[in-house]
Amino acid sequence: MHIRIKYLGQIVEVTGKEEETLEVAGGQVSDLLDVLNSKYNQLKNKDFQIAQNQELVSLETELTGFEIALLPPFAGG
Amino acid sequence: MSDKKPKNVFREGPISSDFIGNSIYKHQSKTSIGAHNIFLGQVRADDIDGKTVSAIEYTAYEDMANQKFHEIRESAFDKFDLTCMHIYHSLGSVKAGEICLFVFVSSPRRKVVFEALEYIVEAIKADVPVFGKEIFEDETHQWKVNS
């Protein structure tokens, strides 16, 4: 499946881009994270949560094809 | 008076005192209100390792952030007897001393607005995907984290 991935805040400094679309076989969020960790080797040093279709998800959540976002610690207000 | 569709909470740049004053003025026609309470988040010139923060550049995962603001609104209207509520958050650069968050709640009675405002501001800090890049006077930066 094609998954659009958005990078926010300091994650952009690791990926060098704000978004991209990747072709993955499916599986869980952790499978996608494995792909991203091998693509961006500084990513494992960063603290972030993952959202799928704009809801926070766990590593065990099944990928649905909806947009994924990597969200570093929030700093609103 | 809760709305069903998420509003856009974000404004480009700082929130001006004119805008805040005008928001207060617009409530003069709502005469069931007996108490307003306002929170203004201001960018602080923190000293970190000998360097001073001169501005924060805000970005957000905007659709999710607006959805979260909407959920916070709905939840606050459920919990508290509010007449109305307004939330505005800056995007882009906000200099030290300028306002980056404006939360405005109104109710017939005062006790409600004290409790509601704290609830809303704490929920914003915890749940809304907004990111802040603290820019120092020498152009270096670090990423802000809510404590």
Side-chain angles (χ1 to χ4, degrees), chain A residues 2-71:
Chain A
H2 284 79
I3 300 184
R4 189 154 87 138
I5 304 162
K6 289 213 167 185
Y7 304 113
L8 281 302
Q10 60 186 288
I11 305 299
V12 175
E13 295 181 347
V14 167
T15 60
K17 61 186 77 162
E18 293 186 351
E19 64 175 84
E20 66 185 318
T21 301
L22 292 182
E23 174 69 28
V24 295
Q28 299 179 337
V29 169
S30 59
D31 297 317
L32 176 61
L33 191 56
D34 289 343
V35 171
L36 297 178
N37 275 330
S38 57
K39 194 168 177 192
Y40 305 108
N41 58 19
Q42 291 301 311
L43 197 57
K44 59 179 74 65
N45 301 323
K46 292 289 178 184
D47 178 19
F48 57 88
Q49 302 180 87
I50 297 176
Q52 177 167 252
N53 196 22
Q54 299 176 19
E55 289 291 338
L56 295 178
V57 291
S58 75
L59 293 176
E60 292 77 39
T61 304
E62 293 292 320
L63 293 168
T64 58
F66 279 107
E67 181 172 282
I68 293 283
L70 272 54
L71 307 174

Side-chain angles (χ1 to χ4, degrees), chain A residues 6 8-11 13 46 49 51 53-56 67-77, chain B residues 58 60-61 63-64 68 71 89 100-101 125-133 141 143-146:
Chain A
K6 289 213 167 185
L8 281 302
Q10 60 186 288
I11 305 299
E13 295 181 347
K46 292 289 178 184
Q49 302 180 87
N53 196 22
Q54 299 176 19
E55 289 291 338
L56 295 178
E67 181 172 282
I68 293 283
L70 272 54
L71 307 174
F74 300 166
Chain B
Y58 286 103
Y61 186 30
D63 288 348
M64 178 176 166
K68 289 289 166 195
E71 289 169 17
H89 198 296
C100 56
L101 172 63
K125 296 254 177 193
D127 299 339
V128 181
V130 171
F131 313 99
K133 188 178 185 180
H141 72 268
W143 290 88
K144 178 174 177 263
V145 176
N146 279 346

Side-chain angles (χ1 to χ4, degrees), chain B:
Chain B
M1 294 215 295
S2 104
D3 299 314
K4 291 302 163 204
K5 281 185 75 178
K7 291 180 175 181
N8 181 19
V9 163
F10 293 108
R11 294 292 179 275
E12 194 62 35
I15 296 162
S16 71
S17 49
D18 278 355
F19 182 85
I20 295 161
N22 195 43
S23 296
I24 298 168
Y25 171 73
K26 283 195 239 169
H27 287 72
Q28 288 185 357
S29 60
K30 298 186 178 181
T31 51
S32 67
I33 293 170
H36 299 299
N37 199 5
I38 287 174
F39 178 86
L40 300 175
Q42 173 166 302
V43 171
R44 195 173 49 230
D46 271 344
D47 274 321
I48 300 163
D49 298 333
K51 297 193 287 189
T52 305
V53 172
S54 62
I56 296 180
E57 276 178 27
Y58 286 103
T59 55
Y61 186 30
E62 284 189 54
D63 288 348
M64 178 176 166
N66 277 314
Q67 180 61 36
K68 289 289 166 195
F69 278 120
H70 179 71
E71 289 169 17
I72 292 166
R73 278 178 65 83
E74 295 289 305
S75 161
F77 273 115
D78 282 348
K79 281 178 193 291
F80 305 101
D81 177 25
L82 294 175
T83 310
C84 54
M85 173 192 333
H86 304 275
I87 306 173
Y88 300 96
H89 198 296
S90 295
L91 284 182
S93 181
V94 182
K95 295 191 186 80
E98 293 181 327
I99 301 299
C100 56
L101 172 63
F102 172 31
V103 182
F104 186 2
V105 292
S106 310
S107 169
R109 302 278 168 192
R110 71 181 179 283
K111 284 194 178 168
V112 172
V113 293
F114 291 130
E115 289 174 19
L117 188 66
E118 181 171 15
Y119 169 82
I120 293 162
V121 172
E122 293 304 318
I124 290 169
K125 296 254 177 193
D127 299 339
V128 181
V130 171
F131 313 99
K133 188 178 185 180
E134 293 177 314
I135 313 291
F136 295 109
E137 286 162 336
D138 65 357
E139 307 287 304
T140 59
H141 72 268
Q142 73 166 22
W143 290 88
K144 178 174 177 263
V145 176
N146 279 346
S147 49

